[in-house]
Amino acid sequence: MEVIDNREITDNVFILRLELTENALKPEPGQFYLLRPDSGYDPLLGRPFSAFRWNNDWIEFLIRKTGRGTALLSTFRPGDHIRILGPLGRSFPPHSPHKTPVVLAGGIGMASVYSLTLKHKAEHIFIYGAKSATELLLTEDIRPRVRELYLCTDDGSMGFQGNVVEFFTEFLKKTSSHSIVVYACGPEKMTKSLMEILKKYNIESYLSLEERMACGLGACMGCAKDTKTGMKRVCMEGPVFNIEEL
Amino acid sequence: MEVIDNREITDNVFILRLELTENALKPEPGQFYLLRPDSGYDPLLGRPFSAFRWNNDWIEFLIRKTGRGTALLSTFRPGDHIRILGPLGRSFPPHSPHKTPVVLAGGIGMASVYSLTLKHKAEHIFIYGAKSATELLLTEDIRPRVRELYLCTDDGSMGFQGNVVEFFTEFLKKTSSHSIVVYACGPEKMTKSLMEILKKYNIESYLSLEERMACGLGACMGCAKDTKTGMKRVCMEGPVFNIEEL
Amino acid sequence: MNLEVKIGKMTMKNPVTTASGTFGYGSEYAEFVDLNLLGAVTVKGISLEPREGNPPPRIYETPCGMLNSIGLQNVGLKNFLDEKLPYLKGFDTRIIVNILGNTIDEYCELSSALDGKVDAIELNVSCPNVKKGGVLFSNNNDMLRTLIKEVRTTVKTSTVIVKLSPASADIVMQARICEEVGIDAVSMINTIPAMAIDIHSRRPRLSNIIGGLSGPAIRPIGVRMVWETHRAINIPIIAMGGIMTAEDAMEYILAGATAVAIGTANFVKPTVTLDIIEGMKKYMLIHGIDDINSLIGGLIC
Amino acid sequence: MNLEVKIGKMTMKNPVTTASGTFGYGSEYAEFVDLNLLGAVTVKGISLEPREGNPPPRIYETPCGMLNSIGLQNVGLKNFLDEKLPYLKGFDTRIIVNILGNTIDEYCELSSALDGKVDAIELNVSCPNVKKGGVLFSNNNDMLRTLIKEVRTTVKTSTVIVKLSPASADIVMQARICEEVGIDAVSMINTIPAMAIDIHSRRPRLSNIIGGLSGPAIRPIGVRMVWETHRAINIPIIAMGGIMTAEDAMEYILAGATAVAIGTANFVKPTVTLDIIEGMKKYMLIHGIDDINSLIGGLIC
Ligand SMILES: Cc1cc2nc3c(=O)[nH]c(=O)nc-3n(C[C@H](O)[C@H](O)[C@H](O)COP(=O)(O)OP(=O)(O)OC[C@H]3O[C@@H](n4cnc5c(N)ncnc54)[C@H](O)[C@@H]3O)c2cc1C
Ligand SMILES: Cc1cc2nc3c(=O)[nH]c(=O)nc-3n(C[C@H](O)[C@H](O)[C@H](O)COP(=O)(O)OP(=O)(O)OC[C@H]3O[C@@H](n4cnc5c(N)ncnc54)[C@H](O)[C@@H]3O)c2cc1C
Ligand SMILES: Cc1cc2nc3c(=O)[nH]c(=O)nc-3n(C[C@H](O)[C@H](O)[C@H](O)COP(=O)(O)O)c2cc1C
Ligand SMILES: Cc1cc2nc3c(=O)[nH]c(=O)nc-3n(C[C@H](O)[C@H](O)[C@H](O)COP(=O)(O)O)c2cc1C
Ligand code: FES
Ligand code: FES
């Protein structure tokens, strides 16, 4: 697909907008795509990125530079071509009307849950954390789309001082755990400590997990995660898992 | 170096202009550079290209797409970065004032000998051949710079019908072989049949040869050509060889 | 224009199949590839019982290649016969089943359960022999000979292929053993044992430490091994290792392969198998070749 | 911060040298690299008499790698001693001379002529033994043992390194033989035999048909071999194979290398050796490492 736009929004993060062909399937929140340059074999494999924002003509990805592949993607300019495969994987399931959806986003994990706020306007409680204020992205864009927005920073430079899980622990003290459903995406560390709490309070929750991928289609078994019922493929049975499986 | 401009001049051939840093050494006609993308390992090695045109600020290469490396170079756009190494190799030696310099250019070999016309304005007899008229490049640019310009095409679509060597054989009938010095660059086939004639008439000549390269610095022995005095490195003892060595 | 090739008793409508482990059980790619158009579908290695495979991370990208240590996760023989095979039978293509065992008995049990039900059985011999302290079958010529002799005797109907490992001491010698024992064809090359380290955590990139290297990086090694093997044996070779394009496939055929298998390339472009078949036809057209078989081992040197 | 390492009797100011055949005789790169800054310079393989090498084409690029079949073209011992060595002696760096012979006698003659004049002698054993019908020394453990024993006895002063081939049946076993015989260190890996074909002319890309694969493509194979070898022997390893960056060099050191050699990367970026030394220092700084020796074999698994 052709690159329409590529904008740095911080030193480290950029938004890549790609053209969508007319009949292209549209993603659901939580689904992802594999992206790779259109030529050469280095890098070889596609890299998975969540569908961030889209309309009929284009789709955007919010990408953080972490290695070679993402660094290369950051150099693409309008007119360049990128091969995309998707939408792939399972999306976040809709919440029951009786429950308040609570979104927990850690760092670049925001890319995966952001689109929930597009589908269900102003319904979500959105808890978003990062290392410091400068890494909290697009907060003014998110604010009008959600019911409540809580920001957390490790260094206290904005919002609550502490991480998303610490904030959520506080938050739970004032909330009935059966009245909410949690959608979460963040770094592995966050997911781990979050899971403990979610399980303890028996909260209905859906977590988006990460694993290195090759095919994205369930064929290579490369993206396996150990679950209660055996090895599951993040690209097929995930990336969004019901916490009951984990 | 930064790409300043990249222009297709036919379907298959483009002129790549790169910035030159202030203190960069300037090439002599016949010298070459190794060019490679600034990132990734595929393609891995630099590709050799003759210095085509240059001034204090930039240098141009006239490049024909023949494979992966050249196809990739053709996609570079202003602002992109390319790693260059050079000038490398031996240049065409100046001609004695008593002799008329005759340039023979076959196909993209023109890139290597074109710059002779920049240094010695309107002195050269320039014989330039290609498959057909559309592949004869920049002829109107060359014309004012040379004393005489003869064009040859295999299909007769412009100038003499036949190849450069055939034309030159005719040309020799009207010329004293001791009054000329030949500078030539073209495909291997042309060089081979040309060498026979040049040797037969004992004409002072300098030929630019091609071989695949890795280091460009005389270290890897990859670019060897068998000569009268043993294996010679095209990147060090060449690419311009005195016909007496061959 | 004839693209049909024969591997033992199996006739493939064209020389292109998939490399085991890179194409799932076929259905995973059916959205992108009309399976009817492939010469054959080779499925993920099957064991008697389902296997969970290695813990993650299982894959890592390297320059022009990738490491995998899936650990042969698969659905097991029963599920394969009940669910995967009937699905594949619905297509007009050949079915090659890659098998793996811990003992010679396991290989024989698998082979006899599959014999006649599938077009070909491909033995992955890069597996540890648990009865011999875990030495890989492919690391010991005597063990290999015993294994493939037993399987050869067991299988009556299906074509038998042995998949050779580039890590074995002498792959050409192993191909000769296959021919002597009456194996129908060899396939090569399996992945090359390799590893990578995260220098910051100082840990291996794969939980299994060592994985198998595949992809374009290994192609020149595969082509050399196929060429050397082709000169030593008369049974057909199914070649694989870094084939990304029709040009790469032709390279292997000129080196001596009768068929080619596409592996890692499926991950890079899901429709690649069909592109390669089309590209081979184009090559034959341009060069005026009527029969692909006339190109096998056609390297001029 | 200590970057000094010891290879036998040779102390290198840092663990970075050049891979034989990729850095000429040093002078070719002197315009780009202050040779005084390198741990050692390893020169192109030297034979008793000058060699012309193979006819062109001698190199071909492959995905993230290259094939070469230079055929060991070199200036010969006399010219090396008369011209190349005095030049290198002008720098404050160690000199490692890679040697190659057709017979054991030739290796011994070369070794004794160089002994004491250079810091280390590196035996390229991937050479055909003309007395044994051209079998490569590296392809036969007994022949290898005899060769290196003789050289070991011959050399009194210089450090002796044996360069191992990844194409040998068992590289770990060969390293063990080196240790047993009293060799000071092993270097690994040499290039991997490989080939490529021009599908349109149907001819091999190299006049020699087979060449050696080097470059980033082979790095994961090299790292695996170094790691396996490090666990089997106690003498130091000089590692090479696709090192392009300081990260790659650190990967080999964590796998068990005491020093690293930079080969194909010199072609990609002539100043790469210095970049790598700087990068290693940076890595040590970030991770608070005082002595590079504390990282050797530091893989956690
Ligand atoms: C389903 C899914 C959705 C994702 N969505 C986004 C997104 O919207 N925006 C975004 O910036 N990132 C997202 N990621 C993470 C992204 O895929 C990785 O950051 C990217 O693949 C790194 O590629 P690289 O070549 O730059 O890094 P590499 O050089 O390959 O590696 C750099 C570091 O990233 C780690 N890494 C590599 N691949 C993955 C992976 N697949 N998952 C997790 N870590 C990895 C490596 O272990 C290494 O530590 C997502 C991952 C998954 C699995
Ligand atoms: C000193 C010198 C100066 C040159 N100057 C120019 C120039 O000014 N303009 C220009 O268009 N080309 C020039 N060439 C040729 C140019 O280097 C090759 O066309 C280019 O390297 C091909 O790269 P590729 O990746 O596109 O092709 P590949 O995919 O590598 O190969 C495509 C075809 O080109 C052949 N080839 C590859 N490398 C070389 C090489 N070094 N020399 C000859 N053939 C090769 C291959 O054998 C193959 O048949 C020059 C070559 C040399 C040695
Ligand atoms: C993810 C993955 C899984 C594989 N699983 C198997 C397997 O189960 N059995 C087998 O014989 N080979 C397996 N292989 C090896 C491939 O079939 C093939 O031999 C190898 O990857 C080289 O081909 P390629 O470079 O085209 O991928 C696997 C390879 C990969 C990349
Ligand atoms: C052009 C070239 C020439 C080489 N010549 C020699 C040689 O003379 N002797 C030797 O032992 N190894 C030789 N090698 C092998 C290298 O020293 C090194 O072992 C190999 O290239 C792997 O390292 P790399 O991937 O960093 O290049 C040569 C390699 C190349 C690419
Ligand atoms: S990435 Fe291949 S199975 Fe998930
Ligand atoms: S390219 Fe290395 S010696 Fe010429």
Side-chain angles (χ1 to χ4, degrees):
Chain A
M1 293 298 113
E2 198 170 303
V3 175
I4 299 178
D5 189 32
N6 199 357
R7 261 171 306 139
E8 252 191 12
I9 60 168
T10 71
D11 251 20
N12 236 354
V13 180
F14 57 100
I15 295 180
L16 180 66
R17 181 183 290 188
L18 301 180
E19 136 199 77
L20 270 190
T21 51
E22 226 172 308
N23 314 319
L25 251 133
K26 299 292 169 299
E28 291 292 322
Q31 286 193 299
F32 70 96
Y33 288 74
L34 290 183
L35 268 63
R36 70 177 303 277
D38 212 18
S39 71
Y41 302 134
D42 184 41
L44 182 68
L45 303 172
R47 303 288 195 262
F49 300 100
S50 304
F52 174 60
R53 266 194 305 224
W54 58 90
N55 67 16
N56 277 329
D57 302 322
W58 50 254
I59 180 161
E60 282 184 343
F61 300 93
L62 179 74
I63 301 180
R64 193 178 56 193
K65 284 192 236 176
T66 48
R68 261 162 28 78
T70 45
L72 188 69
L73 286 173
S74 76
T75 66
F76 276 74
R77 290 183 291 158
D80 288 341
H81 286 261
I82 287 181
R83 199 176 287 167
I84 76 171
L85 182 66
L88 302 170
R90 296 208 185 152
S91 55
F92 289 106
H95 61 275
S96 112
H98 310 298
K99 289 194 178 179
T100 304
V102 178
V103 174
L104 301 183
I108 198 69
M110 195 270 277
S112 155
V113 289
Y114 172 85
S115 60
L116 286 165
T117 70
L118 302 175
K119 275 207 117 176
H120 313 277
K121 228 173 151 155
E123 273 185 286
H124 292 71
I125 295 175
F126 204 97
I127 305 172
Y128 177 24
K131 283 206 189 98
S132 68
T134 52
E135 295 186 26
L136 283 172
L137 311 171
L138 305 172
T139 50
E140 292 321 302
D141 176 274
I142 296 170
R143 197 179 299 280
R145 305 179 184 281
V146 297
R147 205 172 89 192
E148 295 166 29
L149 173 65
Y150 299 102
L151 302 175
C152 319
T153 51
D154 293 350
D155 64 0
S157 52
M158 189 183 275
F160 174 81
Q161 172 159 13
N163 64 37
V164 165
V165 183
E166 286 161 357
F167 180 88
F168 181 65
T169 314
E170 293 301 313
F171 173 86
L172 271 184
K173 292 183 184 158
K174 300 164 284 175
T175 315
S176 148
S177 56
H178 295 284
S179 69
I180 61 170
V181 47
V182 165
Y183 300 104
C185 186
E188 208 176 316
K189 241 183 163 171
M190 159 179 155
T191 310
K192 267 197 187 152
S193 60
L194 182 62
M195 266 171 54
E196 274 178 40
I197 296 168
L198 294 171
K199 286 194 172 177
K200 186 169 147 195
Y201 291 98
N202 206 9
I203 298 171
E204 180 187 355
S205 343
Y206 304 93
L207 281 73
S208 178
L209 303 185
E210 294 198 356
E211 196 46 67
R212 291 199 205 114
M213 293 187 180
C215 69
L217 300 171
C220 74
M221 311 285 160
C223 62
K225 278 271 187 222
D226 216 352
T227 70
K228 277 189 191 151
T229 53
M231 285 289 178
K232 288 284 146 62
R233 297 162 299 183
V234 171
C235 72
M236 284 296 282
E237 285 86 35
V240 174
F241 288 90
N242 187 325
I243 195 164
E244 289 179 3
E245 304 170 57
L246 301 172
Chain B
M1 293 298 113
E2 199 170 302
V3 175
I4 299 179
D5 189 32
N6 199 357
R7 260 171 306 140
E8 252 191 14
I9 60 167
T10 71
D11 250 21
N12 235 353
V13 179
F14 57 100
I15 295 180
L16 180 67
R17 182 182 290 188
L18 301 180
E19 131 197 85
L20 272 189
T21 52
E22 227 173 308
N23 313 319
L25 252 133
K26 298 291 168 300
E28 291 292 322
Q31 286 193 300
F32 70 95
Y33 288 73
L34 290 183
L35 268 63
R36 70 177 304 276
D38 213 18
S39 71
Y41 301 134
D42 184 41
L44 181 68
L45 302 171
R47 304 288 195 260
F49 300 101
S50 304
F52 174 61
R53 267 194 307 224
W54 57 90
N55 68 18
N56 277 327
D57 301 322
W58 50 254
I59 180 162
E60 281 184 344
F61 300 94
L62 180 74
I63 301 180
R64 193 178 57 193
K65 285 192 236 177
T66 48
R68 258 160 32 77
T70 45
L72 188 69
L73 286 172
S74 76
T75 66
F76 276 73
R77 291 183 289 159
D80 288 341
H81 285 262
I82 288 183
R83 200 176 286 166
I84 75 171
L85 181 66
L88 303 171
R90 295 207 185 152
S91 54
F92 290 108
H95 61 276
S96 112
H98 312 298
K99 289 194 178 177
T100 305
V102 178
V103 173
L104 300 183
I108 198 71
M110 196 270 276
S112 155
V113 289
Y114 172 86
S115 60
L116 284 165
T117 71
L118 301 175
K119 275 207 117 175
H120 313 278
K121 228 175 151 154
E123 272 184 287
H124 292 71
I125 295 175
F126 204 99
I127 305 172
Y128 176 23
K131 284 204 188 102
S132 68
T134 52
E135 295 186 27
L136 283 172
L137 310 171
L138 304 173
T139 51
E140 292 322 301
D141 176 274
I142 296 170
R143 199 179 299 281
R145 306 179 183 281
V146 297
R147 208 172 87 191
E148 296 166 29
L149 173 66
Y150 299 102
L151 301 174
C152 318
T153 51
D154 293 350
D155 64 1
S157 53
M158 189 183 275
F160 174 81
Q161 172 160 12
N163 65 36
V164 165
V165 183
E166 286 161 358
F167 181 88
F168 181 65
T169 313
E170 294 300 313
F171 173 87
L172 271 183
K173 292 182 183 159
K174 301 163 287 179
T175 316
S176 148
S177 57
H178 295 286
S179 70
I180 61 169
V181 47
V182 165
Y183 300 104
C185 186
E188 208 176 318
K189 241 182 163 174
M190 158 179 156
T191 311
K192 266 195 187 153
S193 60
L194 182 62
M195 266 172 55
E196 274 177 41
I197 296 168
L198 295 171
K199 286 194 171 174
K200 185 169 148 194
Y201 291 98
N202 206 9
I203 298 169
E204 180 187 355
S205 342
Y206 302 94
L207 304 172
S208 178
L209 304 184
E210 293 197 356
E211 196 47 68
R212 291 199 206 114
M213 293 186 180
C215 70
L217 301 170
C220 74
M221 310 287 161
C223 62
K225 278 270 186 219
D226 216 352
T227 70
K228 279 188 190 151
T229 53
M231 285 290 178
K232 289 284 147 62
R233 296 162 299 185
V234 171
C235 73
M236 283 298 281
E237 286 86 34
V240 175
F241 288 90
N242 187 324
I243 195 165
E244 291 178 2
E245 302 170 59
L246 300 173
Chain C
M1 194 190 289
N2 178 45
L3 270 92
E4 198 176 283
V5 296
K6 271 198 84 170
I7 302 288
K9 282 164 266 176
M10 175 177 66
T11 303
M12 290 166 63
K13 67 175 78 153
N14 64 57
V16 177
T17 183
T18 56
S20 175
T22 65
F23 206 69
Y25 302 100
S27 58
E28 292 86 343
Y29 276 88
E31 187 190 333
F32 300 95
V33 177
D34 178 353
L35 304 184
N36 296 302
L37 300 178
L38 297 178
V41 171
T42 307
V43 301
K44 176 76 189 155
I46 299 290
S47 51
L48 274 181
E49 300 302 323
R51 288 203 191 181
E52 279 286 284
N54 289 321
R58 292 174 167 192
I59 51 181
Y60 185 69
E61 184 171 315
T62 65
C64 291
M66 63 175 281
L67 303 178
N68 89 78
S69 64
I70 307 300
L72 303 169
Q73 175 175 3
N74 77 88
V75 297
L77 177 65
K78 188 175 166 347
N79 177 286
F80 176 74
L81 290 175
D82 293 350
E83 292 182 20
K84 308 298 181 188
L85 186 56
Y87 173 82
L88 283 172
K89 289 271 189 196
F91 295 91
D92 174 27
T93 187
R94 301 301 176 184
I95 302 165
I96 305 177
V97 178
N98 183 278
I99 63 167
L100 52 113
N102 290 319
T103 61
I104 294 182
D105 286 349
E106 283 187 19
Y107 278 99
C108 289
E109 206 177 323
L110 279 159
S111 304
S112 87
L114 291 164
D115 189 19
K117 297 200 182 73
V118 302
D119 297 292
I121 298 169
E122 178 184 57
L123 276 67
N124 179 354
V125 295
S126 308
C127 297
N129 183 344
V130 295
K131 291 220 172 137
K132 302 276 172 173
V135 179
L136 304 191
F137 286 100
S138 57
N139 268 8
N140 182 307
N141 289 351
D142 294 333
M143 244 163 57
L144 178 74
R145 187 189 296 269
T146 316
L147 167 65
I148 64 180
K149 246 190 185 159
E150 294 274 341
V151 173
R152 175 67 288 178
T153 322
T154 306
V155 178
K156 309 293 180 207
T157 312
S158 299
T159 291
V160 180
I161 303 162
V162 172
K163 182 154 178 181
L164 299 174
S165 167
S168 65
D170 187 342
I171 199 168
V172 176
M173 172 63 76
Q174 297 204 340
R176 282 214 187 89
I177 294 174
C178 292
E179 184 171 31
E180 275 166 40
V181 170
I183 296 298
D184 298 302
V186 295
S187 56
M188 58 198 294
I189 58 175
N190 213 321
T191 55
I192 305 180
M195 74 187 270
I197 298 170
D198 179 338
I199 61 167
H200 299 295
S201 69
R202 297 194 205 168
R203 292 183 187 279
R205 290 288 189 177
L206 301 177
S207 69
N208 193 49
I209 307 175
I210 290 180
L213 180 63
S214 65
I218 69 170
R219 190 174 68 238
I221 302 173
V223 172
R224 187 260 301 172
M225 288 182 165
V226 166
W227 182 67
E228 288 177 344
T229 303
H230 174 69
R231 303 202 306 164
I233 62 171
N234 291 306
I235 54 175
I237 299 170
I238 303 177
M240 64 204 78
I243 299 176
M244 309 301 283
T245 64
E247 285 74 30
D248 303 344
M250 290 314 307
E251 206 177 338
Y252 272 110
I253 286 177
L254 290 168
T258 298
V260 291
I262 317 304
T264 301
N266 292 301
F267 309 154
V268 176
K269 194 174 180 213
T271 56
V272 70
T273 42
L274 301 185
D275 297 349
I276 288 174
I277 295 168
E278 286 313 306
M280 290 173 85
K281 287 185 193 159
K282 218 184 199 169
Y283 174 90
M284 288 171 67
L285 208 65
I286 291 171
H287 290 276
I289 310 290
D290 292 328
D291 183 353
I292 189 91
N293 290 280
S294 69
L295 292 173
I296 298 168
L299 178 71
I300 304 169
C301 63
Chain D
M1 193 190 290
N2 178 44
L3 271 93
E4 198 176 283
V5 297
K6 272 198 84 172
I7 302 288
K9 280 164 268 178
M10 174 176 67
T11 304
M12 290 165 63
K13 67 175 79 152
N14 64 57
V16 176
T17 183
T18 56
S20 176
T22 66
F23 206 70
Y25 302 100
S27 57
E28 293 86 343
Y29 277 88
E31 186 189 331
F32 300 95
V33 177
D34 178 353
L35 304 183
N36 295 301
L37 300 178
L38 297 178
V41 171
T42 307
V43 301
K44 176 76 190 154
I46 299 290
S47 52
L48 273 181
E49 299 303 322
R51 288 204 192 182
E52 279 285 284
N54 289 321
R58 291 175 168 191
I59 50 181
Y60 185 69
E61 184 171 314
T62 65
C64 291
M66 64 177 279
L67 303 178
N68 89 79
S69 63
I70 307 301
L72 303 168
Q73 175 175 4
N74 77 88
V75 298
L77 177 65
K78 188 175 166 347
N79 177 287
F80 175 75
L81 290 174
D82 291 352
E83 291 181 20
K84 309 297 182 187
L85 186 57
Y87 173 83
L88 283 172
K89 289 270 189 196
F91 295 91
D92 174 26
T93 188
R94 300 302 176 184
I95 302 165
I96 305 178
V97 179
N98 183 279
I99 64 168
L100 52 113
N102 291 319
T103 61
I104 294 181
D105 285 351
E106 281 187 20
Y107 278 100
C108 289
E109 206 177 323
L110 279 159
S111 304
S112 87
L114 292 164
D115 189 20
K117 297 199 183 73
V118 302
D119 297 293
I121 298 169
E122 178 183 56
L123 276 67
N124 179 352
V125 294
S126 309
C127 298
N129 183 344
V130 296
K131 292 221 172 136
K132 300 276 171 174
V135 180
L136 304 191
F137 286 99
S138 56
N139 268 7
N140 182 307
N141 289 351
D142 294 333
M143 244 164 55
L144 179 75
R145 186 188 297 269
T146 317
L147 166 66
I148 63 180
K149 246 188 186 162
E150 294 273 341
V151 174
R152 176 66 287 177
T153 322
T154 306
V155 178
K156 310 292 180 207
T157 313
S158 300
T159 291
V160 180
I161 303 161
V162 172
K163 182 156 178 179
L164 299 174
S165 166
S168 65
D170 187 343
I171 200 167
V172 176
M173 171 63 74
Q174 297 204 340
R176 281 213 187 92
I177 294 173
C178 291
E179 184 171 31
E180 274 167 40
V181 170
I183 297 298
D184 298 302
V186 294
S187 55
M188 60 198 295
I189 59 175
N190 213 320
T191 55
I192 305 180
M195 75 187 270
I197 298 170
D198 179 339
I199 61 165
H200 298 294
S201 70
R202 299 195 204 166
R203 290 181 189 282
R205 290 287 189 179
L206 302 177
S207 70
N208 193 51
I209 308 175
I210 289 179
L213 180 63
S214 65
I218 70 169
R219 192 174 66 238
I221 302 173
V223 172
R224 187 260 301 174
M225 288 183 164
V226 166
W227 182 66
E228 288 177 343
T229 303
H230 174 68
R231 303 201 308 165
I233 62 172
N234 291 307
I235 54 174
I237 299 171
I238 303 177
M240 64 204 78
I243 299 175
M244 309 302 283
T245 64
E247 285 73 31
D248 303 342
M250 290 313 308
E251 207 179 337
Y252 272 109
I253 286 176
L254 291 168
T258 298
V260 292
I262 316 304
T264 301
N266 292 300
F267 309 154
V268 176
K269 193 173 182 214
T271 56
V272 70
T273 41
L274 301 185
D275 297 349
I276 288 174
I277 295 168
E278 286 314 304
M280 290 173 84
K281 286 185 194 157
K282 218 182 198 171
Y283 174 90
M284 289 171 66
L285 208 63
I286 291 171
H287 290 276
I289 310 290
D290 292 329
D291 185 352
I292 189 90
N293 290 279
S294 70
L295 292 172
I296 298 168
L299 177 71
I300 303 169
C301 63

